[in-house]
Amino acid sequence: MTLHALTILGATGTIGVNTLDVVARHPDRFRIVALTGQNQIEKLAQQCRQFNPRYAVVLESDKALALQAMLAGTQTEVLVGMEALEFVSSLPEVDSVMAAIVGAAGMRPALAAARAGKRVLLANKETLVMAGRFFMQAVHDHNATLLPIDSEHNAVFQSMPASFFRHGGDRDLTAHGVRRVLLTASGGPFRTRELDTLKDITPEQAIAHPNWVMGKKISVDSATMMNKGLEVIEAHWLFNAPPAQIEVVIHPQSIVHSMVEYFDGSVLAQLSNPDMRTPIAHSLLYPERIEAGVNWLDLAKIGTLTFETPDLRRFPCLGLAYQALAAGGAAPAMLNAANEEVVAAFLDKQIPYLAIAATLDAVLQRLAEQPAESLADLLAADAAARITARELMAENYANRV
Ligand code: NAD
Ligand code: MG
């Protein structure tokens, strides 16, 4: 059997590590072509020694030199920079690309994979938020296969009729009998916290997610529910769903990962323990199912599954995302970019928790109506939103630390 050849972008992150965990369970099925990372060079070197990729990619030349020294005597070639990320995403020998870089930085290599007609395993939701129209067009034009790794979208993917994703199809929800896509959300660590104490939330509290272990940025996004907002936009592009057909429902146990409602009243769902290895394993050799190493779901032990409607006063970021999606054009890209800036500032204790949503709201108002005719436009909108977010934070929270 030929080995499935894989590039993992963001191999040192949570999704990257989980992907390698699944891959290691099936050594006779996969071959790693490239692993990439940004800062954790030691960890990347260790992964390279274990999986023996042909290439390892980092972003800066001093890190490349350090990695090269660590990998002396191995067969792994160290490459550096954004072009190298695009190169290892589009090599002819690569079958699938796991796109698991965090943030807008992941967009170019994910796009390169789509343009090369790869199977793209997309964890990096920011690519779709920022440039959904161009990314989906590239997938279509180059006959790429797009498999969502985000657990909710993976659940929707599994609950949709397979014909919906057939290449060249009209991807019309109504024509496939689908009334709504229901995205579940855990509600994060502050779902029941007293509203008047939200102002005191610290970064440590915000990244302590009750159900999932994730990178810091997505953990803060889960606490504010911006993560769900970004996922609404992600669902819009993946499933060609108008905002009115995407509903968010809070489900604190994180067992039902999302649902699809049909016109006959049926609701199909995907359930599993909250472990990203399930959507990863689902996608790695799709449609073949392989073992993921996860615990089997014991519903009797879990006992109760509950659902509630999100409160937009508690989670204004969710409302902002719907607003940006309705505004269209460059608004989602701006929201995404500004969010990266404010979350970094919050993690760095430069701004208080409530300033996250307040700043994002102000950025969207100040920067309304940017052009979005090309990728260059979106990158410009991204840059403008970052500058405006930093300006607003400097104006309002300058003397905090
Ligand atoms: P993480 O912070 O744990 O890892 C991020 C990875 O990206 C690391 O390998 C890091 O080295 C690399 N990276 C960071 N900045 C980079 C840059 N500027 N250029 C190149 N590489 C860079 O993040 P994560 O939790 O693994 O999330 C990765 C992506 O997957 C995010 O888009 C996130 O929204 C999405 N996702 C994650 C989860 C999860 O459970 N962790 C679930 C759903 C979706
Ligand atoms: Mg998710």
Side-chain angles (χ1 to χ4, degrees):
M1 193 183 288
T2 51
L3 297 180
H4 196 87
L6 200 59
T7 279
I8 303 179
L9 303 168
T12 54
T14 318
I15 295 292
V17 167
N18 276 307
T19 304
L20 287 172
D21 181 282
V22 177
V23 165
R25 290 166 196 278
H26 306 276
D28 55 335
R29 304 301 306 276
F30 297 99
R31 179 167 72 84
I32 303 293
V33 178
L35 297 176
T36 88
Q38 186 187 29
N39 289 322
Q40 297 168 280
I41 302 306
E42 193 69 60
K43 190 170 179 179
L44 185 57
Q46 185 272 322
Q47 293 178 331
C48 289
R49 283 190 291 267
Q50 185 180 349
F51 292 94
N52 202 21
R54 186 157 167 207
Y55 301 102
V57 185
V58 292
L59 287 176
E60 294 155 24
S61 31
D62 57 330
K63 301 226 166 75
L65 288 174
L67 184 63
Q68 225 156 23
M70 289 177 208
L71 292 178
T74 72
Q75 285 169 353
T76 302
E77 189 182 334
V78 177
L79 305 176
V80 59
M82 181 54 79
E83 285 71 25
L85 291 177
E86 294 177 322
F87 172 72
V88 297
S89 303
S90 50
L91 280 169
E93 67 180 279
V94 169
D95 297 309
S96 294
V97 175
M98 168 60 77
I101 289 172
V102 61
M107 195 263 286
R108 278 179 52 182
L111 194 58
R115 285 178 174 156
K118 301 300 180 195
R119 284 163 40 103
V120 187
L121 281 48
L122 190 69
N124 178 261
K125 64 193 81 183
E126 294 91 346
T127 290
L128 282 174
V129 174
M130 194 177 167
R133 185 154 66 89
F134 298 98
F135 185 78
M136 295 307 290
Q137 192 66 46
V139 167
H140 179 267
D141 291 350
H142 299 276
N143 215 344
T145 301
L146 182 54
L147 296 164
I149 296 298
D150 212 348
S151 55
E152 297 76 5
H153 306 74
N154 184 270
V156 171
F157 181 88
Q158 295 199 48
S159 305
M160 287 278 248
S163 57
F164 182 81
F165 299 102
R166 209 152 284 150
H167 189 76
D170 56 4
R171 297 197 329 127
D172 180 335
L173 282 180
T174 306
H176 285 85
V178 174
R179 179 168 177 264
R180 274 186 315 167
V181 167
L182 299 160
L183 298 180
T184 54
S186 70
F190 309 132
R191 180 176 61 88
T192 56
R193 187 175 164 129
E194 289 290 331
L195 279 180
D196 59 3
T197 68
L198 294 183
K199 62 183 188 334
D200 306 319
I201 289 169
T202 65
E204 293 73 24
Q205 292 168 336
I207 62 177
H209 196 276
N211 304 346
W212 299 95
V213 179
M214 306 181 285
K216 282 185 185 171
K217 188 257 178 186
I218 183 176
S219 296
V220 175
D221 286 348
S222 297
T224 62
M225 277 187 84
M226 178 56 86
N227 183 50
K228 210 52 52 181
L230 300 178
E231 290 184 357
V232 167
I233 302 172
E234 182 183 12
H236 165 71
W237 291 112
L238 282 174
F239 309 120
N240 197 24
Q245 275 171 271
I246 308 169
E247 194 153 312
V248 173
V249 55
I250 290 186
H251 166 48
Q253 296 81 14
S254 298
I255 298 295
V256 177
H257 295 297
S258 279
M259 297 168 265
V260 174
E261 181 181 58
Y262 289 82
F263 282 117
D264 61 5
S266 300
V267 175
L268 300 195
Q270 183 265 351
L271 284 70
S272 63
N273 282 313
D275 187 323
M276 288 306 292
R277 289 177 300 178
T278 292
I280 290 167
H282 168 261
S283 303
L284 273 172
L285 290 178
Y286 177 83
E288 184 184 343
R289 302 258 179 186
I290 58 173
E291 276 205 45
V294 303
N295 293 329
W296 305 117
L297 184 60
D298 185 343
L299 281 173
K301 195 166 159 201
I302 293 160
T304 314
L305 300 178
T306 59
F307 301 89
E308 49 194 78
T309 304
D311 173 359
L312 292 184
R313 282 172 311 154
R314 180 180 293 278
F315 299 115
C317 287
L318 180 58
L320 289 174
Y322 270 103
Q323 212 176 295
L325 179 56
M334 294 191 297
L335 179 68
N336 178 61
N339 182 55
E340 286 184 30
E341 296 297 320
V342 297
V343 169
F346 169 69
L347 283 169
D348 202 27
K349 297 192 161 57
Q350 305 283 325
I351 61 165
Y353 179 79
L354 292 178
I356 296 175
T359 307
L360 295 176
D361 194 0
V363 169
L364 284 185
Q365 288 183 27
R366 219 189 251 198
L367 282 175
E369 305 263 342
Q370 299 273 310
E373 297 310 313
S374 65
L375 269 179
D377 283 348
L378 293 174
L379 289 168
D382 171 290
R386 286 174 200 272
I387 291 169
T388 303
R390 284 194 220 119
E391 280 172 4
L392 284 163
M393 290 190 287
E395 278 168 30
N396 295 323
Y397 311 101
N399 301 319
R400 208 178 133 78
V401 273

